[in-house]
Amino acid sequence: MRIITTHLSADFDAFAAAVCALRLYPGSRVLFPGSQEAAVRRFLADSELSFPELKLRRARAGKLEHAVVVDTRSPSRLGEVAKLLVRDKCPITLIDHHLEEDGGLDADEVIERPVGATCTIIAELFRERGIQPTDEEASLMLMGIYEDTGGLSYRETTPEDLRITAWLLEQGGMLEWVRRWVLKALQPEQLELLNRMVEATEELVVEEVPVALSMLEVDRYHEEAAFVVHRWIEIFEIGVGAVMLVRPPNINLILRSRLPGLHMGKVAQRFGGGGHATAASARISGAMPVEVREQLVKALAEELPAPARAIDVAARTIFTVDDSVTVGDTKERINQLRVNALPVRDTESDALVGLVTRQILDRALSHGMGERPVRTVMHPELPTVAASTPLVTLRDLFLERSYRFVVVEEEGHPAGIITRMELFRRLFEHQHAAGAALDHRMAGARPMSQSITRLLRETSPPWVQRLLGAIREVADSQGVPVYLVGGMVRDLLLKRANEDIDLVVEGDGIAFAAALADAIGGRHHPHAPFLTAVVSLPDGLRVDVASARTEFYRTPAALPEVATSLIRQDLYRRDFTINSLAVALSGQRHGELVDFFGGRKDIQRQEIRVLHSLSFIDDPTRALRAVRYARRLGFQIAPDTRNLIQTALAEGVFERLSGQRLRRELEYLLAEPHPAAALALVAELGLLPAISPDLMWSEAIRSNLMEVEGQLAWYRLEELGAEPEPWILYLGGLALRAGAEAVAGLGRRLQLVGALHDRFVALPEEVAAITRAASSDLPRSQRVRLVEGQSVEALLLGMAGLELEERREVADAVEAAVRVQAPVSGRQLLDAGVSPGPHVGRTLKLTRDALVDGVITEDEALAWALSTSRSLGLGDGV
């Protein structure tokens, strides 16, 4: 079998090249490794075009004798066909115009040309071999050329593309096909996608180049998204644009550029994709959108052409005037050269020693100095810059100093000159190629910053406002940027109360803390290894201060190590996007919300999302923290974050997590309101076995833990004693369902020791005692004795497992145990003549039992106790 094949999701260029190549390789059949793009499928359905095609299942069963691969040189884009080529070891002919795409396809013959479309190459082969294309073939190749060159408008379009287009038209090619199938209008669903892209667009500046980035979540795969992106680029005249269509766990990355020197295909290759210099794409799986965004910005920074330097734009011929030339002759030379200023050259040293302008000369002439040498009126300061000076630095120099020109020096010698007009002409050309600032319709749709000064004023208590004012004064006096970070910023946007003030300083945080303490009359406590300090206010409140830092993990699940960084890196180390927000507290940016990673949008969406795909690998406790924030805020855990939790579980990182760290995070989680709901989400995420393999979840367990919450509410309402430890209460309740050994196993996993260990592993026995106390056959006093001395956690767990009547019996015993005290004291018995000894304590217990059981009243208690003592034969000496 001889085949012609192309890449997955074939567009018109790939499809037409494959079909028309049948004339070049008679006896071949077209083998598509996958489906075609939607536009190609619609064309096939309407046109009923017929051509010999080979299905994959037939190719699997047969043997390939020769293969022609068109429009790609990447095996990964051939799908299963690549495996068949390797299996059959058949000769391969490659026809492709992606000259700069990294290949990997081992072709025996390569036909490649630097043109805008593969169909251009196919058509040229037709013409060179004297093959007359049919009208349909000529039209197909026109469609492929028009699609891949953007209607002959992309930067890669070559004169060859134009010439072969004219030839195809002469051979009967129909532009009606191009107009109908390639240059089509946007459909309603495509318009909706375009509007969402516009709303999500933000402008980044990467290496002084404006980049339009649109990142949005979609609920399905958009086959013709690339066409919508093309229209987005066209409508808003975007120079460099990137669109991320996020549908967890996948991200469809589409890249476009009209900036000379930037090859988007190379950028896409870093993400496993490919394409042209002006158009490329990649499909990414298992990565966080924020992480991909960071990697994309880095890739663009590395692939963007090096910024132009002063020497690159300098005119190498430097027109000068000798210092001995008269003012009048110098004015004549300036007029001849049609310039407004000239460097002045010292005739003895040949060095440039100053400059003279038209205005200086005119003024000198008005004073009758036309015959004086120009050195007497020149400006002795000559503006010079190094050859490597970036153009943006030159721009600032010209704007700040009003220079007419600068001399560019290389190795200490004049090498060229740049005039003001030439510099701004170059800058304008660069801006036009790169794309100007975003159209106001997009720039206004997604502001990059937001002042929340009013929100701070409206929601913060007076002491916080006074403190923030002091922070601003100290920061401005030290000249360091200071930011409010952490949960307070998040809760400000949610309009929730939070007075935990955490500051990050871009500089020496410990020195700032000391200055702040002095300013407010407080004290500071530095922690140098962690680059942090605590400022204690005079009224006992505190402020946490940290130098901007980044964390790195030497091994998965290890504790982080700390290094200094700037605010962006500091925020990137945070656990979730909603906690990666900051508010600038210093300088002109005071009150500005800083949001690098989409935290504000995730707050609006009510989603918990991590910042990068290794977040749970680095720190598995973040999974439990995600549950805590989801339950506290009423948010959902984002689908991509859920997928990353599953990845972390599969990698077994929880097994390397120490028991102390695990217990601490569980303590935080179960101290929140409604722990049963939190554990339900833990179970839903599959985290229970990571805590302990014996833990299970069921509807019955959930109902039981809800009953525990109910019993705790009763316990608090009746004010029956000390508060239970929530983590012992709820984890114990979970483990008890699996038996005493599961309780002991969980204790070992959490690395409990000493009294805490004994308290936890005693739960099964104590809960059994509570269950026995529910028996209606027991006298009330015996029930009281059974519940006394048991931990409050065992009491509540035991009661939650009882029927209503049994629970009432135990509740009555608990209340009696707390409120009914022994009505007689040992001192009273001794004063009445009872001899000291163990019998005194026995008598007091029996007397309390009698009171609890209603045998006696409090007024009868003393006489009853003395009588009981005598009846027991313990009354000698009475």
Side-chain angles (χ1 to χ4, degrees), residues 711-722:
Q711 294 310 301
L712 178 57
W714 159 80
Y715 180 85
R716 288 169 171 165
L717 181 64
E718 295 295 333
E719 299 180 349
L720 294 174

Side-chain angles (χ1 to χ4, degrees), residues 63-92:
K63 181 177 175 60
L64 302 183
E65 300 171 0
H66 180 258
V68 178
V69 178
V70 300
D71 204 41
T72 185
R73 57 188 64 205
S74 172
S76 64
R77 301 187 70 194
L78 292 175
E80 187 180 345
V81 172
K83 297 179 180 178
L84 299 180
L85 296 178
V86 173
R87 182 196 69 181
D88 295 339
K89 300 178 180 178
C90 64
I92 298 173

Side-chain angles (χ1 to χ4, degrees), residues 392-405:
V392 290
T393 303
L394 282 177
R395 176 198 63 194
D396 295 341
L397 280 174
F398 274 90
L399 292 175
E400 293 170 6
R401 308 283 183 85
S402 298
Y403 288 155
R404 301 295 183 89
F405 66 83

Side-chain angles (χ1 to χ4, degrees), residues 736 762-775 778 786-787 790 794-795 797-799 802 810:
L736 277 169
L763 283 176
E765 184 178 336
E766 292 186 346
V767 168
I770 300 299
T771 304
R772 291 196 300 273
S775 173
L778 296 177
L786 281 170
V787 300
Q790 314 298 350
L795 169 66
L797 290 172
M799 292 182 67
L802 298 174
V810 174

Side-chain angles (χ1 to χ4, degrees), residues 30 62 72 83 120 177 203 277 308 417 449 489 605 702 768 825:
V30 177
T72 185
K83 297 179 180 178
T120 297
W177 281 26
E203 183 180 37
I417 190 169
S449 63
V489 182
R605 293 171 173 161
R702 189 195 69 82
S825 67

Side-chain angles (χ1 to χ4, degrees), residues 530-568:
F530 294 99
L531 309 176
T532 63
V534 175
V535 177
S536 299
L537 280 61
D539 55 7
L541 298 169
R542 59 178 277 170
V543 177
D544 292 314
V545 181
S547 302
R549 54 189 178 156
T550 187
E551 292 178 347
F552 60 96
Y553 296 77
R554 293 197 181 273
T555 58
L559 288 170
E561 299 185 30
V562 178
T564 57
S565 71
L566 298 180
I567 185 63
R568 194 175 192 280

